Amino acid sequence: CLKNEFQQSSTAVEWKCCPRCHFGWCCGPTHWEEYMKKGIHTFEIRQKYKEATEIELFHYKHIENHQEHFRYQPWTALTKPVKSFPATWSDYFSWRFGPEYQRDHPPEFWSASTRLLSQPVSCLYALYQHDASRFLQMTNLTIHVAGADSYELPATCVWEEIIHCLPRVGKD
């Protein structure tokens, strides 16, 4: 709900759910109208929620049916940094995943198989957007993940993707 604790009354809340996607929630019909007027809960936002849920459902069913977890990540380290980081996931997959992976797995499968890469790849994208020339020259890099829990720091090597894409890091 977009109202803060001072705007909400202490009476029981009459929660209102978006009838279209069932993802948007507000503390009542009046607030729902305010929420919709702000244009926050757009068709595009509802589609993103739906896609995210479908990926999670696909992931869950695959584990349930095949007892196989998706933990795919590129293992090759770059010898030279790229001039600009890919702007889309499709560009990233084309760059970091071999043609065999793309041939053997449909694009719908990619986000489910690499969902843990979203944090390190987002960090890489931000580094390139902020000041690529500075970060590409660094041999040491410290990234603080604030509020991390088991999802942000899984027992996998996904954070190594940063080292794989910044060849000078760790080389001193």
Side-chain angles (χ1 to χ4, degrees):
C1 181
L2 295 176
K3 291 189 176 185
N4 64 37
E5 61 185 299
F6 301 108
Q7 295 169 319
Q8 296 175 358
S9 66
S10 60
T11 60
V13 175
E14 179 192 341
W15 289 102
K16 170 98 170 121
C17 174
C18 175
R20 295 181 189 138
C21 71
H22 304 285
F23 285 106
W25 288 86
C26 287
C27 62
T30 304
H31 186 220
W32 180 255
E33 294 303 319
E34 292 174 27
Y35 181 67
M36 292 306 288
K37 283 179 189 173
K38 290 181 180 179
I40 297 171
H41 200 64
T42 63
F43 174 78
E44 291 79 15
I45 294 291
R46 291 193 305 268
Q47 284 302 108
K48 291 287 183 193
Y49 287 141
K50 183 180 175 201
E51 290 168 13
T53 302
E54 288 171 353
I55 288 169
E56 288 299 315
L57 184 59
F58 173 79
H59 190 246
Y60 173 79
K61 285 183 177 180
H62 186 84
I63 293 169
E64 189 177 72
N65 295 335
H66 304 284
Q67 290 72 48
E68 175 187 41
H69 289 267
F70 298 122
R71 292 218 169 94
Y72 186 84
Q73 71 183 69
W75 292 105
T76 56
L78 302 178
T79 55
K80 291 188 236 174
V82 292
K83 292 188 193 297
S84 65
F85 200 78
T88 66
W89 277 107
S90 295
D91 293 343
Y92 174 78
F93 282 109
S94 296
W95 171 52
R96 292 294 287 146
F97 291 67
E100 301 83 24
Y101 185 84
Q102 294 176 33
R103 181 192 65 230
D104 297 341
H105 301 89
E108 297 79 18
F109 185 84
W110 299 351
S111 56
S113 67
T114 61
R115 68 188 186 135
L116 295 176
L117 275 174
S118 64
Q119 291 103 7
V121 171
S122 294
C123 285
L124 280 165
Y125 181 77
L127 293 174
Y128 269 85
Q129 292 299 307
H130 181 67
D131 186 358
S133 61
R134 177 175 164 228
F135 290 108
L136 294 177
Q137 298 305 314
M138 297 175 92
T139 56
N140 291 304
L141 179 66
T142 301
I143 296 175
H144 296 274
V145 182
D149 201 350
S150 58
Y151 180 78
E152 287 80 14
L153 299 171
T156 67
C157 302
V158 294
W159 286 93
E160 285 185 12
E161 179 64 357
I162 293 174
I163 297 170
H164 292 169
C165 292
L166 300 176
R168 293 187 57 129
V169 172
K171 300 291 190 251
D172 65 346

